[in-house]
Amino acid sequence: MSMEAPERETDEQPVLQVENLQTAFFTDKEVIRAVDGISFDIREGETVGIVGESGSGKSVTARSIMGLVDTPGRILDGSSIEFKGEQLVGKAERDYRQLRGSGIAMIFQDPLTSLNPVYTVGNQIKEALRLHQGLTGKDATDRAVELLEAVSIPDAQRRVTEYPHQFSGGMRQRAVIAMALACDPELLICDEPTTALDVTIQAQILELLQDLQEERGLSIMFITHDMGVIAEISDRVNVMYAGEMIEKAPVEELFDNPKHPYTQGLLQSIPGRHPGEDRLRTIEGDVPTPNEPAEYCRFAPRCPEAFDACDAVHPVNVSVGEEADDHTAACLLYPDEMSREDAVETHRARDATSQLTDPTEGSE
Ligand code: ADP
Ligand code: MG
């Protein structure tokens, strides 16, 4: 399991490096800053979790990396997404299509968005193999069967000739994973791939992803709203809230020592954490739509620990762990070895230097 993974070298270049990513939707009535200046990276062979409630910007993050942001959305100037050292922001659609087939693959929550109902599962995998590996005919058929076997679909010889509707939900998601593997990606982005499945099937899919990762050295970006799933699969975790990453840590550290009140609230809502209680504790209220510049803490209205400055100062990520940079939180309560005034002042000063220009100004 990922928690026992040995310490990795940190000086090698990450597979994916996201720096100050900002993706906004310019609607008639407002600018929605769906992803508002996030930074994170993914190293070779590791699983990085992105967790947060619905509406926090997880899917827009994934779509930004895949070059699939729909109008009226746009990645703003100053954003950087590097895949193996190559800048993806501003890439032409033609080059992106190439990349989507070979370097990075994505799996969505609903397998039916990736599968075409009028073609057999086999033909869809074969199409991916033709496009990305130039395989056709019997070679492609054999490879399609191998891929179905690789994702543990029983009776693959027969299954390869069947249509998506003949597959159960769990088998369909396996077929989608097989399709993603057809292009031999280095990075697999999974956007809530198990959310629509029952818990038993969910556990099987998570196990499958872990096996595939081990066999193929895949890097995985795993998006979910479920802290239980995060614990199961991630090496490192990024917690998202209203377009921002508000806490980052190695998985064990995050669960043992959560610092941001939002993360603490998410952990409280995991079933089974509070035996004897018949209701889940959840955080009151919803994620706000990030339609104003972040000049305050977007979590403050729901935060049990909020104080006056939280409405006036934008918290930046500061180190909160024993090991520098490994664990950060964007909350005015930290660094907690400082007086509260000094901590607030630290955030105010650091935010001022990072927000010299408003990237949405002058656009559309
Ligand atoms: P999550 O995946 O974490 O549930 P999303 O990334 O889907 O959240 O959405 C983040 C924010 O971006 C939400 O406020 C959502 O309403 C907004 N958003 C997403 N897609 C669009 C769009 N096409 N047009 C306008 N707003 C959008
Ligand atoms: Mg989503």
Side-chain angles (χ1 to χ4, degrees), residues 66-68 93 95-106 132 183:
M66 293 298 284
L68 296 172
E93 174 57 25
D95 300 332
Y96 236 123
R97 219 170 289 151
Q98 179 72 26
L99 180 81
R100 264 179 236 135
S102 54
I104 310 180
M106 182 159 166
H132 305 300
C183 50

Side-chain angles (χ1 to χ4, degrees), residues 10-23:
T10 51
D11 49 331
E12 61 187 272
Q13 188 189 38
V15 174
L16 185 81
Q17 183 143 31
V18 173
E19 231 31 278
N20 190 31
L21 174 63
Q22 304 172 77
T23 306

Side-chain angles (χ1 to χ4, degrees), residues 20 22 294-295 314 348-361:
N20 190 31
Q22 304 172 77
E295 286 162 355
H314 178 235
R348 197 198 304 275
R350 286 205 16 212
D351 188 51
T353 52
S354 69
Q355 305 263 324
L356 289 176
T357 53
D358 178 354
T360 64
E361 242 164 58

Side-chain angles (χ1 to χ4, degrees), residues 30 136 189 258 317 336 353 362:
E30 59 191 357
T136 53
I189 298 179
N317 270 292
D336 56 3
T353 52

